[in-house]
Amino acid sequence: MIETKQFKDDLLNWFHKNKRQMPWRETSNPYYIWLSEVMLQQTQVNTVRPYYKAFIERFPTIESLSEANEEDVLKYWEGLGYYSRVRNFQEAVKEVHHSYHGVVPDNPDDFKKLKGVGPYTNAAVMSIVHNHPIPAVDGNVLRVWSRLTGNDSDIAAPKTKKLYEDELQPFVEEHSGDFNQAMMELGATICTPKKTLCIMCPVQKHCYAFANGIVDELPVKKKKIKKKTIDFNVLYITNRSGEILVRQRDTKLLNGMWEFPMFEADESIHSIEETLDAVIDIDQTPEYTTKHVFTHMTWNMNVYRAHTQKSDFDYPYKWIKKEEKEQLSFSTSMSKIFNQLNG
DNA sequence: TACCCGTGGCG
DNA sequence: TCGCCAAGGGT
């Protein structure tokens, strides 16, 4: 359990002595601070600096941005990425110009309704400009708080973020703007994803992960695995005796398991025949199509019946009788195919 | 809920 | 080289 006042004192003292110079920290203009927060979404401070300066020089007021054409505005975002940010921002600024007499709303309920203003941007701008007591939980804070509290739940899960917001609420009743910025600054400079600088940490004595030597194990973040999909042609090849051609895998995936010869779908019959060194008669259309889902990939398999005259194959290929199938290890997907084709 | 959106830096 | 990460939000 982190002692609120002591932690906050330690953190804020450090922040006031060590905070980095940033152009948007030299203004209290809500429009500029809002702009900086939009630019900083998923973008590092040093990348943002030059864009921020050029942007406010060209569009110094809400009115000037409202009246600019989109092409011109986009030019000033060129290279920053996530271009919908600037379209949403201009739309929101126009809304402020027309519906709020050019004054950025000073209450979270109205501000959050503006295009492109989500939970984070709302909390950041409203706390920095008006000290509204809302915790700003970004990627930094998720990491920092998981370590400080030793929480190993998945920080990608919405309920984890919600929990952190609740736990941080007591810390932002006063000086929320500085507190929010200090937490992010800590994450960006000390409590970094890798090669943390715990020795420099102003709140080391409050940190569960440091005390227990598990800093490198936090935060826990479920990896989002992009499932690859690969299309295969699976050949159920028989000979005159009714035997079936199988082969043993020598691959990382399913290593040592037996399978029916399978080839990526874009491989030609000619190429397959070369590999097998045999003439293969393959049905025109697949017997059926099935798929097998692994943790990290999906196989789409077109299963063809095929026939060959060739009698002898060298390892890793070999002929087996149907009854011998039981004596070899086949992956689940292959057993399903076998059963499908043999009633 | 899960995916998409851009680019640069880092180990 | 490659995956992860960066002051997220929209759909």
Side-chain angles (χ1 to χ4, degrees), chain A residues 291-339:
Chain A
K291 73 173 178 181
H292 187 72
V293 179
F294 297 94
T295 326
H296 59 300
M297 74 166 82
T298 301
W299 286 355
N300 285 325
M301 296 179 288
N302 305 309
V303 182
Y304 289 85
R305 288 187 187 273
H307 193 268
T308 186
Q309 307 284 350
K310 184 180 174 182
S311 58
D312 56 319
F313 280 88
D314 291 329
Y315 181 83
Y317 292 86
K318 73 170 182 177
W319 291 108
I320 61 166
K321 295 181 169 54
K322 285 185 186 175
E323 312 83 72
E324 295 176 308
K325 193 261 178 191
E326 299 303 322
Q327 296 160 24
L328 303 176
S329 298
F330 286 78
S331 70
T332 301
S333 59
M334 290 299 148
S335 286
K336 283 181 180 171
I337 290 172
F338 179 84
N339 293 333

Side-chain angles (χ1 to χ4, degrees), chain A residues 14-74:
Chain A
W14 167 82
F15 180 62
H16 289 130
K17 286 176 192 164
N18 297 280
K19 67 176 167 184
R20 296 173 289 173
Q21 289 288 105
M22 301 179 193
W24 47 90
R25 282 184 174 158
E26 295 165 11
T27 179
S28 57
N29 185 330
Y31 165 62
Y32 291 171
I33 291 171
W34 178 14
L35 168 67
S36 73
E37 290 300 340
V38 175
M39 284 187 164
L40 285 163
Q41 289 169 13
Q42 301 287 276
T43 311
Q44 297 196 350
V45 168
N46 287 337
T47 304
V48 166
R49 289 181 201 276
Y51 284 92
Y52 171 85
K53 287 181 180 173
F55 198 98
I56 62 171
E57 190 166 324
R58 174 63 182 80
F59 309 108
T61 62
I62 284 177
E63 186 176 9
S64 64
L65 182 59
S66 296
E67 293 168 351
N69 69 60
E70 190 181 315
E71 279 300 309
D72 193 10
V73 176
L74 195 56

Side-chain angles (χ1 to χ4, degrees), chain A residues 15 20 22-25 27 29-45 48-49 51-52 55-56 77 80-82 85-86 89 104 111 115-129 134-141 176-182 184-185:
Chain A
F15 180 62
R20 296 173 289 173
M22 301 179 193
W24 47 90
R25 282 184 174 158
T27 179
N29 185 330
Y31 165 62
Y32 291 171
I33 291 171
W34 178 14
L35 168 67
S36 73
E37 290 300 340
V38 175
M39 284 187 164
L40 285 163
Q41 289 169 13
Q42 301 287 276
T43 311
Q44 297 196 350
V45 168
V48 166
R49 289 181 201 276
Y51 284 92
Y52 171 85
F55 198 98
I56 62 171
W77 210 272
L80 253 192
Y82 287 135
R85 284 186 295 178
V86 73
F89 182 60
V104 178
F111 185 64
K115 200 73 183 285
V117 178
Y120 166 77
T121 305
N122 178 51
V125 175
M126 290 295 103
S127 67
I128 292 170
V129 178
I134 317 171
V137 179
D138 72 332
N140 285 313
V141 176
S176 61
D178 281 348
F179 181 83
N180 283 333
Q181 291 184 81
M184 292 187 279
E185 191 89 349

Side-chain angles (χ1 to χ4, degrees), chain A residues 21-22 91-92 96 160 206-207 253 268 271 293 334 336-337:
Chain A
Q21 289 288 105
M22 301 179 193
E91 186 180 329
V96 171
T160 305
H206 303 275
C207 184
L253 179 63
S268 67
S271 168
V293 179
M334 290 299 148
K336 283 181 180 171
I337 290 172

